Amino acid sequence: MIILVDQITESPKKIRFGESIGQLNQATDLVRDYRFPDFMDVDVVFYRSGRELFFEGSFRGRLEGNCGRCLKSYSFALQKNFSFALTPDPFSARSKELNRDEMGLSFYAGQEVDLSPFIREQVLLALPTRPLCKEGCRGLCAGCGADLNLEPCRCAAAAVDPRMAPFRNLKLNR
Ligand SMILES: [Zn+2]
Ligand SMILES: [Zn+2]
């Protein structure tokens, strides 16, 4: 979503739109864990104070995750509030090599503000560090592969009953 700087007035305006985020599915480091929808629903209120621009809003959407423990895919809601301010870029006519992040400030330059990169970044920040289908997912047994949410581990049954071990030793010693 692009907002023209001219249209940002001192009286707040509210807009709602669908932000296209499908390209996040091409981020190779995430493709194993999450599947993003084509759009996130976004609400934004924006206004200015002098030359400073303010944005407050939220987004929400449904993602698919692949549980890191039981490997099942599951659907979950992602939502986050955000707010930020932009000041005119004092360096836009000069060196572009200054690291703006280090200065802790965000700037705008030109006639428009593109919210898309910001929203994509916020979506990534809102992701859980690890996909889990539920808080207490018990995962798969590393030995027998049983889904421990649904069935007991079969490792013990498959192993030889330890109470039988002395008899086997007897046989061997004979
Ligand atoms: Zn799970
Ligand atoms: Zn097992």
Side-chain angles (χ1 to χ4, degrees), residues 34 36 40 59-60 63 76-82 118-130:
Y34 297 108
F36 298 91
M40 293 295 262
F59 63 79
R60 75 210 66 81
L63 278 69
F76 67 102
L78 191 72
Q79 90 92 42
K80 189 176 193 291
N81 297 335
F82 58 81
F118 173 80
I119 290 168
R120 286 197 296 270
E121 184 190 328
Q122 291 295 307
V123 168
L124 295 180
L125 287 174
L127 289 174
T129 48
R130 185 176 181 206

mmCIF file with all atom_site columns, all heavy atoms in Angstrom, residues 34 36 40 59-60 63 76-82 118-130:
data_model
loop_
_atom_site.group_PDB
_atom_site.id
_atom_site.type_symbol
_atom_site.label_atom_id
_atom_site.label_alt_id
_atom_site.label_comp_id
_atom_site.label_asym_id
_atom_site.label_entity_id
_atom_site.label_seq_id
_atom_site.pdbx_PDB_ins_code
_atom_site.Cartn_x
_atom_site.Cartn_y
_atom_site.Cartn_z
_atom_site.occupancy
_atom_site.B_iso_or_equiv
_atom_site.pdbx_formal_charge
_atom_site.auth_seq_id
_atom_site.auth_comp_id
_atom_site.auth_asym_id
_atom_site.auth_atom_id
_atom_site.pdbx_PDB_model_num
ATOM 1   N N   . TYR A 1 34  ? 6.467  -22.143 7.649  1.00 0.00 ? 34  TYR A N   1
ATOM 2   C CA  . TYR A 1 34  ? 5.234  -21.359 7.532  1.00 0.00 ? 34  TYR A CA  1
ATOM 3   C C   . TYR A 1 34  ? 4.793  -21.204 6.092  1.00 0.00 ? 34  TYR A C   1
ATOM 4   O O   . TYR A 1 34  ? 5.623  -21.134 5.185  1.00 0.00 ? 34  TYR A O   1
ATOM 5   C CB  . TYR A 1 34  ? 5.437  -19.959 8.134  1.00 0.00 ? 34  TYR A CB  1
ATOM 6   C CG  . TYR A 1 34  ? 5.740  -19.980 9.593  1.00 0.00 ? 34  TYR A CG  1
ATOM 7   C CD1 . TYR A 1 34  ? 7.016  -19.685 10.060 1.00 0.00 ? 34  TYR A CD1 1
ATOM 8   C CD2 . TYR A 1 34  ? 4.759  -20.311 10.521 1.00 0.00 ? 34  TYR A CD2 1
ATOM 9   C CE1 . TYR A 1 34  ? 7.309  -19.715 11.410 1.00 0.00 ? 34  TYR A CE1 1
ATOM 10  C CE2 . TYR A 1 34  ? 5.044  -20.344 11.873 1.00 0.00 ? 34  TYR A CE2 1
ATOM 11  C CZ  . TYR A 1 34  ? 6.319  -20.045 12.311 1.00 0.00 ? 34  TYR A CZ  1
ATOM 12  O OH  . TYR A 1 34  ? 6.594  -20.085 13.644 1.00 0.00 ? 34  TYR A OH  1
ATOM 13  N N   . PHE A 1 36  ? 2.347  -18.528 4.081  1.00 0.00 ? 36  PHE A N   1
ATOM 14  C CA  . PHE A 1 36  ? 1.645  -17.256 4.239  1.00 0.00 ? 36  PHE A CA  1
ATOM 15  C C   . PHE A 1 36  ? 0.459  -17.173 3.288  1.00 0.00 ? 36  PHE A C   1
ATOM 16  O O   . PHE A 1 36  ? 0.504  -17.710 2.181  1.00 0.00 ? 36  PHE A O   1
ATOM 17  C CB  . PHE A 1 36  ? 2.608  -16.095 3.955  1.00 0.00 ? 36  PHE A CB  1
ATOM 18  C CG  . PHE A 1 36  ? 3.761  -16.037 4.891  1.00 0.00 ? 36  PHE A CG  1
ATOM 19  C CD1 . PHE A 1 36  ? 4.953  -16.707 4.596  1.00 0.00 ? 36  PHE A CD1 1
ATOM 20  C CD2 . PHE A 1 36  ? 3.671  -15.336 6.082  1.00 0.00 ? 36  PHE A CD2 1
ATOM 21  C CE1 . PHE A 1 36  ? 6.025  -16.666 5.468  1.00 0.00 ? 36  PHE A CE1 1
ATOM 22  C CE2 . PHE A 1 36  ? 4.744  -15.296 6.958  1.00 0.00 ? 36  PHE A CE2 1
ATOM 23  C CZ  . PHE A 1 36  ? 5.922  -15.962 6.649  1.00 0.00 ? 36  PHE A CZ  1
ATOM 24  N N   . MET A 1 40  ? -2.793 -10.028 3.880  1.00 0.00 ? 40  MET A N   1
ATOM 25  C CA  . MET A 1 40  ? -3.123 -9.776  5.277  1.00 0.00 ? 40  MET A CA  1
ATOM 26  C C   . MET A 1 40  ? -4.089 -8.590  5.291  1.00 0.00 ? 40  MET A C   1
ATOM 27  O O   . MET A 1 40  ? -3.927 -7.641  4.516  1.00 0.00 ? 40  MET A O   1
ATOM 28  C CB  . MET A 1 40  ? -1.872 -9.395  6.088  1.00 0.00 ? 40  MET A CB  1
ATOM 29  C CG  . MET A 1 40  ? -0.841 -10.491 6.262  1.00 0.00 ? 40  MET A CG  1
ATOM 30  S SD  . MET A 1 40  ? -1.425 -11.887 7.234  1.00 0.00 ? 40  MET A SD  1
ATOM 31  C CE  . MET A 1 40  ? -0.743 -11.491 8.839  1.00 0.00 ? 40  MET A CE  1
ATOM 32  N N   . PHE A 1 59  ? -2.593 -5.584  11.762 1.00 0.00 ? 59  PHE A N   1
ATOM 33  C CA  . PHE A 1 59  ? -2.886 -6.497  10.659 1.00 0.00 ? 59  PHE A CA  1
ATOM 34  C C   . PHE A 1 59  ? -3.295 -7.836  11.233 1.00 0.00 ? 59  PHE A C   1
ATOM 35  O O   . PHE A 1 59  ? -3.008 -8.149  12.388 1.00 0.00 ? 59  PHE A O   1
ATOM 36  C CB  . PHE A 1 59  ? -1.678 -6.665  9.724  1.00 0.00 ? 59  PHE A CB  1
ATOM 37  C CG  . PHE A 1 59  ? -0.474 -7.270  10.372 1.00 0.00 ? 59  PHE A CG  1
ATOM 38  C CD1 . PHE A 1 59  ? -0.392 -8.640  10.589 1.00 0.00 ? 59  PHE A CD1 1
ATOM 39  C CD2 . PHE A 1 59  ? 0.585  -6.478  10.785 1.00 0.00 ? 59  PHE A CD2 1
ATOM 40  C CE1 . PHE A 1 59  ? 0.701  -9.207  11.199 1.00 0.00 ? 59  PHE A CE1 1
ATOM 41  C CE2 . PHE A 1 59  ? 1.692  -7.037  11.410 1.00 0.00 ? 59  PHE A CE2 1
ATOM 42  C CZ  . PHE A 1 59  ? 1.746  -8.409  11.600 1.00 0.00 ? 59  PHE A CZ  1
ATOM 43  N N   . ARG A 1 60  ? -3.984 -8.627  10.426 1.00 0.00 ? 60  ARG A N   1
ATOM 44  C CA  . ARG A 1 60  ? -4.365 -9.966  10.866 1.00 0.00 ? 60  ARG A CA  1
ATOM 45  C C   . ARG A 1 60  ? -4.540 -10.856 9.645  1.00 0.00 ? 60  ARG A C   1
ATOM 46  O O   . ARG A 1 60  ? -4.861 -10.386 8.549  1.00 0.00 ? 60  ARG A O   1
ATOM 47  C CB  . ARG A 1 60  ? -5.631 -9.930  11.715 1.00 0.00 ? 60  ARG A CB  1
ATOM 48  C CG  . ARG A 1 60  ? -6.927 -9.722  11.011 1.00 0.00 ? 60  ARG A CG  1
ATOM 49  C CD  . ARG A 1 60  ? -7.921 -9.007  11.909 1.00 0.00 ? 60  ARG A CD  1
ATOM 50  N NE  . ARG A 1 60  ? -7.461 -7.643  12.186 1.00 0.00 ? 60  ARG A NE  1
ATOM 51  C CZ  . ARG A 1 60  ? -7.633 -6.625  11.337 1.00 0.00 ? 60  ARG A CZ  1
ATOM 52  N NH1 . ARG A 1 60  ? -8.231 -6.809  10.201 1.00 0.00 ? 60  ARG A NH1 1
ATOM 53  N NH2 . ARG A 1 60  ? -7.184 -5.419  11.625 1.00 0.00 ? 60  ARG A NH2 1
ATOM 54  N N   . LEU A 1 63  ? -2.313 -18.076 8.889  1.00 0.00 ? 63  LEU A N   1
ATOM 55  C CA  . LEU A 1 63  ? -1.156 -18.723 8.304  1.00 0.00 ? 63  LEU A CA  1
ATOM 56  C C   . LEU A 1 63  ? -1.256 -20.220 8.512  1.00 0.00 ? 63  LEU A C   1
ATOM 57  O O   . LEU A 1 63  ? -2.047 -20.694 9.327  1.00 0.00 ? 63  LEU A O   1
ATOM 58  C CB  . LEU A 1 63  ? 0.135  -18.238 8.982  1.00 0.00 ? 63  LEU A CB  1
ATOM 59  C CG  . LEU A 1 63  ? 0.736  -16.912 8.508  1.00 0.00 ? 63  LEU A CG  1
ATOM 60  C CD1 . LEU A 1 63  ? -0.162 -15.770 8.926  1.00 0.00 ? 63  LEU A CD1 1
ATOM 61  C CD2 . LEU A 1 63  ? 2.126  -16.743 9.087  1.00 0.00 ? 63  LEU A CD2 1
ATOM 62  N N   . PHE A 1 76  ? -3.211 -21.127 11.972 1.00 0.00 ? 76  PHE A N   1
ATOM 63  C CA  . PHE A 1 76  ? -3.257 -20.248 13.139 1.00 0.00 ? 76  PHE A CA  1
ATOM 64  C C   . PHE A 1 76  ? -3.425 -18.794 12.709 1.00 0.00 ? 76  PHE A C   1
ATOM 65  O O   . PHE A 1 76  ? -3.086 -18.419 11.587 1.00 0.00 ? 76  PHE A O   1
ATOM 66  C CB  . PHE A 1 76  ? -2.016 -20.421 14.026 1.00 0.00 ? 76  PHE A CB  1
ATOM 67  C CG  . PHE A 1 76  ? -0.720 -19.964 13.388 1.00 0.00 ? 76  PHE A CG  1
ATOM 68  C CD1 . PHE A 1 76  ? -0.150 -18.744 13.735 1.00 0.00 ? 76  PHE A CD1 1
ATOM 69  C CD2 . PHE A 1 76  ? -0.083 -20.743 12.445 1.00 0.00 ? 76  PHE A CD2 1
ATOM 70  C CE1 . PHE A 1 76  ? 1.046  -18.317 13.160 1.00 0.00 ? 76  PHE A CE1 1
ATOM 71  C CE2 . PHE A 1 76  ? 1.109  -20.325 11.843 1.00 0.00 ? 76  PHE A CE2 1
ATOM 72  C CZ  . PHE A 1 76  ? 1.671  -19.119 12.210 1.00 0.00 ? 76  PHE A CZ  1
ATOM 73  N N   . ALA A 1 77  ? -3.989 -17.994 13.633 1.00 0.00 ? 77  ALA A N   1
ATOM 74  C CA  . ALA A 1 77  ? -4.207 -16.571 13.362 1.00 0.00 ? 77  ALA A CA  1
ATOM 75  C C   . ALA A 1 77  ? -2.982 -15.790 13.796 1.00 0.00 ? 77  ALA A C   1
ATOM 76  O O   . ALA A 1 77  ? -2.403 -16.053 14.851 1.00 0.00 ? 77  ALA A O   1
ATOM 77  C CB  . ALA A 1 77  ? -5.442 -16.086 14.109 1.00 0.00 ? 77  ALA A CB  1
ATOM 78  N N   . LEU A 1 78  ? -2.592 -14.843 12.949 1.00 0.00 ? 78  LEU A N   1
ATOM 79  C CA  . LEU A 1 78  ? -1.475 -13.967 13.303 1.00 0.00 ? 78  LEU A CA  1
ATOM 80  C C   . LEU A 1 78  ? -2.015 -12.549 13.299 1.00 0.00 ? 78  LEU A C   1
ATOM 81  O O   . LEU A 1 78  ? -2.666 -12.133 12.328 1.00 0.00 ? 78  LEU A O   1
ATOM 82  C CB  . LEU A 1 78  ? -0.351 -14.110 12.274 1.00 0.00 ? 78  LEU A CB  1
ATOM 83  C CG  . LEU A 1 78  ? 0.978  -13.460 12.642 1.00 0.00 ? 78  LEU A CG  1
ATOM 84  C CD1 . LEU A 1 78  ? 1.660  -14.264 13.740 1.00 0.00 ? 78  LEU A CD1 1
ATOM 85  C CD2 . LEU A 1 78  ? 1.895  -13.352 11.438 1.00 0.00 ? 78  LEU A CD2 1
ATOM 86  N N   . GLN A 1 79  ? -1.774 -11.829 14.374 1.00 0.00 ? 79  GLN A N   1
ATOM 87  C CA  . GLN A 1 79  ? -2.207 -10.432 14.382 1.00 0.00 ? 79  GLN A CA  1
ATOM 88  C C   . GLN A 1 79  ? -1.236 -9.617  15.216 1.00 0.00 ? 79  GLN A C   1
ATOM 89  O O   . GLN A 1 79  ? -0.573 -10.139 16.113 1.00 0.00 ? 79  GLN A O   1
ATOM 90  C CB  . GLN A 1 79  ? -3.653 -10.328 14.879 1.00 0.00 ? 79  GLN A CB  1
ATOM 91  C CG  . GLN A 1 79  ? -3.863 -10.142 16.370 1.00 0.00 ? 79  GLN A CG  1
ATOM 92  C CD  . GLN A 1 79  ? -3.946 -8.683  16.719 1.00 0.00 ? 79  GLN A CD  1
ATOM 93  O OE1 . GLN A 1 79  ? -4.568 -7.910  16.014 1.00 0.00 ? 79  GLN A OE1 1
ATOM 94  N NE2 . GLN A 1 79  ? -3.302 -8.280  17.805 1.00 0.00 ? 79  GLN A NE2 1
ATOM 95  N N   . LYS A 1 80  ? -1.087 -8.360  14.878 1.00 0.00 ? 80  LYS A N   1
ATOM 96  C CA  . LYS A 1 80  ? -0.127 -7.528  15.584 1.00 0.00 ? 80  LYS A CA  1
ATOM 97  C C   . LYS A 1 80  ? -0.524 -6.067  15.415 1.00 0.00 ? 80  LYS A C   1
ATOM 98  O O   . LYS A 1 80  ? -1.014 -5.670  14.362 1.00 0.00 ? 80  LYS A O   1
ATOM 99  C CB  . LYS A 1 80  ? 1.272  -7.748  14.993 1.00 0.00 ? 80  LYS A CB  1
ATOM 100 C CG  . LYS A 1 80  ? 2.418  -7.103  15.759 1.00 0.00 ? 80  LYS A CG  1
ATOM 101 C CD  . LYS A 1 80  ? 3.756  -7.497  15.106 1.00 0.00 ? 80  LYS A CD  1
ATOM 102 C CE  . LYS A 1 80  ? 4.957  -7.171  15.977 1.00 0.00 ? 80  LYS A CE  1
ATOM 103 N NZ  . LYS A 1 80  ? 5.215  -5.742  16.132 1.00 0.00 ? 80  LYS A NZ  1
ATOM 104 N N   . ASN A 1 81  ? -0.335 -5.307  16.465 1.00 0.00 ? 81  ASN A N   1
ATOM 105 C CA  . ASN A 1 81  ? -0.507 -3.852  16.374 1.00 0.00 ? 81  ASN A CA  1
ATOM 106 C C   . ASN A 1 81  ? 0.846  -3.230  16.070 1.00 0.00 ? 81  ASN A C   1
ATOM 107 O O   . ASN A 1 81  ? 1.887  -3.770  16.455 1.00 0.00 ? 81  ASN A O   1
ATOM 108 C CB  . ASN A 1 81  ? -1.026 -3.280  17.694 1.00 0.00 ? 81  ASN A CB  1
ATOM 109 C CG  . ASN A 1 81  ? -2.407 -3.821  18.034 1.00 0.00 ? 81  ASN A CG  1
ATOM 110 O OD1 . ASN A 1 81  ? -3.165 -4.216  17.144 1.00 0.00 ? 81  ASN A OD1 1
ATOM 111 N ND2 . ASN A 1 81  ? -2.720 -3.852  19.311 1.00 0.00 ? 81  ASN A ND2 1
ATOM 112 N N   . PHE A 1 82  ? 0.826  -2.105  15.406 1.00 0.00 ? 82  PHE A N   1
ATOM 113 C CA  . PHE A 1 82  ? 2.092  -1.411  15.148 1.00 0.00 ? 82  PHE A CA  1
ATOM 114 C C   . PHE A 1 82  ? 1.863  0.092   15.167 1.00 0.00 ? 82  PHE A C   1
ATOM 115 O O   . PHE A 1 82  ? 0.724  0.570   14.990 1.00 0.00 ? 82  PHE A O   1
ATOM 116 C CB  . PHE A 1 82  ? 2.692  -1.846  13.802 1.00 0.00 ? 82  PHE A CB  1
ATOM 117 C CG  . PHE A 1 82  ? 1.788  -1.613  12.612 1.00 0.00 ? 82  PHE A CG  1
ATOM 118 C CD1 . PHE A 1 82  ? 1.706  -0.369  12.025 1.00 0.00 ? 82  PHE A CD1 1
ATOM 119 C CD2 . PHE A 1 82  ? 1.025  -2.643  12.102 1.00 0.00 ? 82  PHE A CD2 1
ATOM 120 C CE1 . PHE A 1 82  ? 0.872  -0.146  10.929 1.00 0.00 ? 82  PHE A CE1 1
ATOM 121 C CE2 . PHE A 1 82  ? 0.192  -2.437  11.011 1.00 0.00 ? 82  PHE A CE2 1
ATOM 122 C CZ  . PHE A 1 82  ? 0.112  -1.181  10.430 1.00 0.00 ? 82  PHE A CZ  1
ATOM 123 N N   . PHE A 1 118 ? 7.309  -2.344  5.220  1.00 0.00 ? 118 PHE A N   1
ATOM 124 C CA  . PHE A 1 118 ? 7.157  -2.267  6.662  1.00 0.00 ? 118 PHE A CA  1
ATOM 125 C C   . PHE A 1 118 ? 6.216  -3.363  7.167  1.00 0.00 ? 118 PHE A C   1
ATOM 126 O O   . PHE A 1 118 ? 6.499  -4.033  8.158  1.00 0.00 ? 118 PHE A O   1
ATOM 127 C CB  . PHE A 1 118 ? 6.629  -0.885  7.047  1.00 0.00 ? 118 PHE A CB  1
ATOM 128 C CG  . PHE A 1 118 ? 6.290  -0.768  8.497  1.00 0.00 ? 118 PHE A CG  1
ATOM 129 C CD1 . PHE A 1 118 ? 7.298  -0.552  9.435  1.00 0.00 ? 118 PHE A CD1 1
ATOM 130 C CD2 . PHE A 1 118 ? 4.991  -0.921  8.936  1.00 0.00 ? 118 PHE A CD2 1
ATOM 131 C CE1 . PHE A 1 118 ? 6.999  -0.480  10.776 1.00 0.00 ? 118 PHE A CE1 1
ATOM 132 C CE2 . PHE A 1 118 ? 4.679  -0.857  10.278 1.00 0.00 ? 118 PHE A CE2 1
ATOM 133 C CZ  . PHE A 1 118 ? 5.687  -0.627  11.203 1.00 0.00 ? 118 PHE A CZ  1
ATOM 134 N N   . ILE A 1 119 ? 5.104  -3.556  6.465  1.00 0.00 ? 119 ILE A N   1
ATOM 135 C CA  . ILE A 1 119 ? 4.138  -4.563  6.910  1.00 0.00 ? 119 ILE A CA  1
ATOM 136 C C   . ILE A 1 119 ? 4.731  -5.970  6.803  1.00 0.00 ? 119 ILE A C   1
ATOM 137 O O   . ILE A 1 119 ? 4.581  -6.790  7.704  1.00 0.00 ? 119 ILE A O   1
ATOM 138 C CB  . ILE A 1 119 ? 2.823  -4.434  6.127  1.00 0.00 ? 119 ILE A CB  1
ATOM 139 C CG1 . ILE A 1 119 ? 2.118  -3.148  6.560  1.00 0.00 ? 119 ILE A CG1 1
ATOM 140 C CG2 . ILE A 1 119 ? 1.919  -5.645  6.369  1.00 0.00 ? 119 ILE A CG2 1
ATOM 141 C CD1 . ILE A 1 119 ? 0.964  -2.742  5.693  1.00 0.00 ? 119 ILE A CD1 1
ATOM 142 N N   . ARG A 1 120 ? 5.441  -6.218  5.716  1.00 0.00 ? 120 ARG A N   1
ATOM 143 C CA  . ARG A 1 120 ? 6.073  -7.543  5.585  1.00 0.00 ? 120 ARG A CA  1
ATOM 144 C C   . ARG A 1 120 ? 7.051  -7.791  6.737  1.00 0.00 ? 120 ARG A C   1
ATOM 145 O O   . ARG A 1 120 ? 7.111  -8.877  7.307  1.00 0.00 ? 120 ARG A O   1
ATOM 146 C CB  . ARG A 1 120 ? 6.796  -7.658  4.243  1.00 0.00 ? 120 ARG A CB  1
ATOM 147 C CG  . ARG A 1 120 ? 5.836  -7.832  3.069  1.00 0.00 ? 120 ARG A CG  1
ATOM 148 C CD  . ARG A 1 120 ? 6.574  -8.345  1.852  1.00 0.00 ? 120 ARG A CD  1
ATOM 149 N NE  . ARG A 1 120 ? 7.560  -7.401  1.361  1.00 0.00 ? 120 ARG A NE  1
ATOM 150 C CZ  . ARG A 1 120 ? 7.300  -6.455  0.441  1.00 0.00 ? 120 ARG A CZ  1
ATOM 151 N NH1 . ARG A 1 120 ? 6.096  -6.346  -0.078 1.00 0.00 ? 120 ARG A NH1 1
ATOM 152 N NH2 . ARG A 1 120 ? 8.251  -5.639  0.051  1.00 0.00 ? 120 ARG A NH2 1
ATOM 153 N N   . GLU A 1 121 ? 7.790  -6.757  7.090  1.00 0.00 ? 121 GLU A N   1
ATOM 154 C CA  . GLU A 1 121 ? 8.746  -6.903  8.194  1.00 0.00 ? 121 GLU A CA  1
ATOM 155 C C   . GLU A 1 121 ? 8.019  -7.180  9.508  1.00 0.00 ? 121 GLU A C   1
ATOM 156 O O   . GLU A 1 121 ? 8.439  -8.020  10.307 1.00 0.00 ? 121 GLU A O   1
ATOM 157 C CB  . GLU A 1 121 ? 9.562  -5.615  8.291  1.00 0.00 ? 121 GLU A CB  1
ATOM 158 C CG  . GLU A 1 121 ? 10.659 -5.647  9.338  1.00 0.00 ? 121 GLU A CG  1
ATOM 159 C CD  . GLU A 1 121 ? 11.257 -4.258  9.548  1.00 0.00 ? 121 GLU A CD  1
ATOM 160 O OE1 . GLU A 1 121 ? 11.305 -3.477  8.573  1.00 0.00 ? 121 GLU A OE1 1
ATOM 161 O OE2 . GLU A 1 121 ? 11.674 -3.975  10.679 1.00 0.00 ? 121 GLU A OE2 1
ATOM 162 N N   . GLN A 1 122 ? 6.898  -6.477  9.720  1.00 0.00 ? 122 GLN A N   1
ATOM 163 C CA  . GLN A 1 122 ? 6.131  -6.673  10.953 1.00 0.00 ? 122 GLN A CA  1
ATOM 164 C C   . GLN A 1 122 ? 5.532  -8.079  11.025 1.00 0.00 ? 122 GLN A C   1
ATOM 165 O O   . GLN A 1 122 ? 5.447  -8.667  12.095 1.00 0.00 ? 122 GLN A O   1
ATOM 166 C CB  . GLN A 1 122 ? 5.017  -5.625  11.056 1.00 0.00 ? 122 GLN A CB  1
ATOM 167 C CG  . GLN A 1 122 ? 5.517  -4.224  11.294 1.00 0.00 ? 122 GLN A CG  1
ATOM 168 C CD  . GLN A 1 122 ? 6.199  -4.077  12.646 1.00 0.00 ? 122 GLN A CD  1
ATOM 169 O OE1 . GLN A 1 122 ? 5.635  -4.417  13.680 1.00 0.00 ? 122 GLN A OE1 1
ATOM 170 N NE2 . GLN A 1 122 ? 7.432  -3.608  12.644 1.00 0.00 ? 122 GLN A NE2 1
ATOM 171 N N   . VAL A 1 123 ? 5.108  -8.596  9.878  1.00 0.00 ? 123 VAL A N   1
ATOM 172 C CA  . VAL A 1 123 ? 4.573  -9.958  9.841  1.00 0.00 ? 123 VAL A CA  1
ATOM 173 C C   . VAL A 1 123 ? 5.659  -10.942 10.271 1.00 0.00 ? 123 VAL A C   1
ATOM 174 O O   . VAL A 1 123 ? 5.432  -11.835 11.092 1.00 0.00 ? 123 VAL A O   1
ATOM 175 C CB  . VAL A 1 123 ? 4.042  -10.301 8.434  1.00 0.00 ? 123 VAL A CB  1
ATOM 176 C CG1 . VAL A 1 123 ? 3.761  -11.798 8.304  1.00 0.00 ? 123 VAL A CG1 1
ATOM 177 C CG2 . VAL A 1 123 ? 2.768  -9.510  8.138  1.00 0.00 ? 123 VAL A CG2 1
ATOM 178 N N   . LEU A 1 124 ? 6.862  -10.745 9.756  1.00 0.00 ? 124 LEU A N   1
ATOM 179 C CA  . LEU A 1 124 ? 7.956  -11.652 10.123 1.00 0.00 ? 124 LEU A CA  1
ATOM 180 C C   . LEU A 1 124 ? 8.279  -11.546 11.609 1.00 0.00 ? 124 LEU A C   1
ATOM 181 O O   . LEU A 1 124 ? 8.540  -12.542 12.279 1.00 0.00 ? 124 LEU A O   1
ATOM 182 C CB  . LEU A 1 124 ? 9.201  -11.353 9.283  1.00 0.00 ? 124 LEU A CB  1
ATOM 183 C CG  . LEU A 1 124 ? 9.050  -11.619 7.782  1.00 0.00 ? 124 LEU A CG  1
ATOM 184 C CD1 . LEU A 1 124 ? 10.344 -11.290 7.043  1.00 0.00 ? 124 LEU A CD1 1
ATOM 185 C CD2 . LEU A 1 124 ? 8.654  -13.069 7.523  1.00 0.00 ? 124 LEU A CD2 1
ATOM 186 N N   . LEU A 1 125 ? 8.215  -10.318 12.130 1.00 0.00 ? 125 LEU A N   1
ATOM 187 C CA  . LEU A 1 125 ? 8.513  -10.127 13.557 1.00 0.00 ? 125 LEU A CA  1
ATOM 188 C C   . LEU A 1 125 ? 7.452  -10.772 14.441 1.00 0.00 ? 125 LEU A C   1
ATOM 189 O O   . LEU A 1 125 ? 7.737  -11.152 15.578 1.00 0.00 ? 125 LEU A O   1
ATOM 190 C CB  . LEU A 1 125 ? 8.597  -8.629  13.878 1.00 0.00 ? 125 LEU A CB  1
ATOM 191 C CG  . LEU A 1 125 ? 9.840  -7.908  13.367 1.00 0.00 ? 125 LEU A CG  1
ATOM 192 C CD1 . LEU A 1 125 ? 9.721  -6.407  13.612 1.00 0.00 ? 125 LEU A CD1 1
ATOM 193 C CD2 . LEU A 1 125 ? 11.092 -8.451  14.049 1.00 0.00 ? 125 LEU A CD2 1
ATOM 194 N N   . ALA A 1 126 ? 6.232  -10.882 13.920 1.00 0.00 ? 126 ALA A N   1
ATOM 195 C CA  . ALA A 1 126 ? 5.131  -11.418 14.730 1.00 0.00 ? 126 ALA A CA  1
ATOM 196 C C   . ALA A 1 126 ? 5.131  -12.943 14.763 1.00 0.00 ? 126 ALA A C   1
ATOM 197 O O   . ALA A 1 126 ? 4.444  -13.544 15.582 1.00 0.00 ? 126 ALA A O   1
ATOM 198 C CB  . ALA A 1 126 ? 3.795  -10.910 14.185 1.00 0.00 ? 126 ALA A CB  1
ATOM 199 N N   . LEU A 1 127 ? 5.891  -13.575 13.894 1.00 0.00 ? 127 LEU A N   1
ATOM 200 C CA  . LEU A 1 127 ? 5.895  -15.037 13.842 1.00 0.00 ? 127 LEU A CA  1
ATOM 201 C C   . LEU A 1 127 ? 6.445  -15.628 15.135 1.00 0.00 ? 127 LEU A C   1
ATOM 202 O O   . LEU A 1 127 ? 7.396  -15.091 15.709 1.00 0.00 ? 127 LEU A O   1
ATOM 203 C CB  . LEU A 1 127 ? 6.783  -15.524 12.698 1.00 0.00 ? 127 LEU A CB  1
ATOM 204 C CG  . LEU A 1 127 ? 6.276  -15.316 11.277 1.00 0.00 ? 127 LEU A CG  1
ATOM 205 C CD1 . LEU A 1 127 ? 7.359  -15.732 10.283 1.00 0.00 ? 127 LEU A CD1 1
ATOM 206 C CD2 . LEU A 1 127 ? 5.005  -16.098 11.034 1.00 0.00 ? 127 LEU A CD2 1
ATOM 207 N N   . PRO A 1 128 ? 5.866  -16.741 15.583 1.00 0.00 ? 128 PRO A N   1
ATOM 208 C CA  . PRO A 1 128 ? 6.484  -17.440 16.717 1.00 0.00 ? 128 PRO A CA  1
ATOM 209 C C   . PRO A 1 128 ? 7.898  -17.889 16.314 1.00 0.00 ? 128 PRO A C   1
ATOM 210 O O   . PRO A 1 128 ? 8.133  -18.182 15.141 1.00 0.00 ? 128 PRO A O   1
ATOM 211 C CB  . PRO A 1 128 ? 5.588  -18.663 16.924 1.00 0.00 ? 128 PRO A CB  1
ATOM 212 C CG  . PRO A 1 128 ? 4.380  -18.446 16.080 1.00 0.00 ? 128 PRO A CG  1
ATOM 213 C CD  . PRO A 1 128 ? 4.714  -17.448 15.029 1.00 0.00 ? 128 PRO A CD  1
ATOM 214 N N   . THR A 1 129 ? 8.814  -17.946 17.267 1.00 0.00 ? 129 THR A N   1
ATOM 215 C CA  . THR A 1 129 ? 10.182 -18.332 16.921 1.00 0.00 ? 129 THR A CA  1
ATOM 216 C C   . THR A 1 129 ? 10.234 -19.751 16.381 1.00 0.00 ? 129 THR A C   1
ATOM 217 O O   . THR A 1 129 ? 11.086 -20.079 15.582 1.00 0.00 ? 129 THR A O   1
ATOM 218 C CB  . THR A 1 129 ? 11.108 -18.241 18.150 1.00 0.00 ? 129 THR A CB  1
ATOM 219 O OG1 . THR A 1 129 ? 10.463 -18.881 19.234 1.00 0.00 ? 129 THR A OG1 1
ATOM 220 C CG2 . THR A 1 129 ? 11.402 -16.810 18.492 1.00 0.00 ? 129 THR A CG2 1
ATOM 221 N N   . ARG A 1 130 ? 9.268  -20.576 16.816 1.00 0.00 ? 130 ARG A N   1
ATOM 222 C CA  . ARG A 1 130 ? 9.241  -21.952 16.355 1.00 0.00 ? 130 ARG A CA  1
ATOM 223 C C   . ARG A 1 130 ? 7.788  -22.360 16.138 1.00 0.00 ? 130 ARG A C   1
ATOM 224 O O   . ARG A 1 130 ? 6.949  -22.098 16.993 1.00 0.00 ? 130 ARG A O   1
ATOM 225 C CB  . ARG A 1 130 ? 9.877  -22.829 17.432 1.00 0.00 ? 130 ARG A CB  1
ATOM 226 C CG  . ARG A 1 130 ? 10.033 -24.261 17.047 1.00 0.00 ? 130 ARG A CG  1
ATOM 227 C CD  . ARG A 1 130 ? 10.744 -25.029 18.132 1.00 0.00 ? 130 ARG A CD  1
ATOM 228 N NE  . ARG A 1 130 ? 10.894 -26.404 17.698 1.00 0.00 ? 130 ARG A NE  1
ATOM 229 C CZ  . ARG A 1 130 ? 10.996 -27.438 18.512 1.00 0.00 ? 130 ARG A CZ  1
ATOM 230 N NH1 . ARG A 1 130 ? 10.976 -27.243 19.807 1.00 0.00 ? 130 ARG A NH1 1
ATOM 231 N NH2 . ARG A 1 130 ? 11.131 -28.646 18.050 1.00 0.00 ? 130 ARG A NH2 1
#
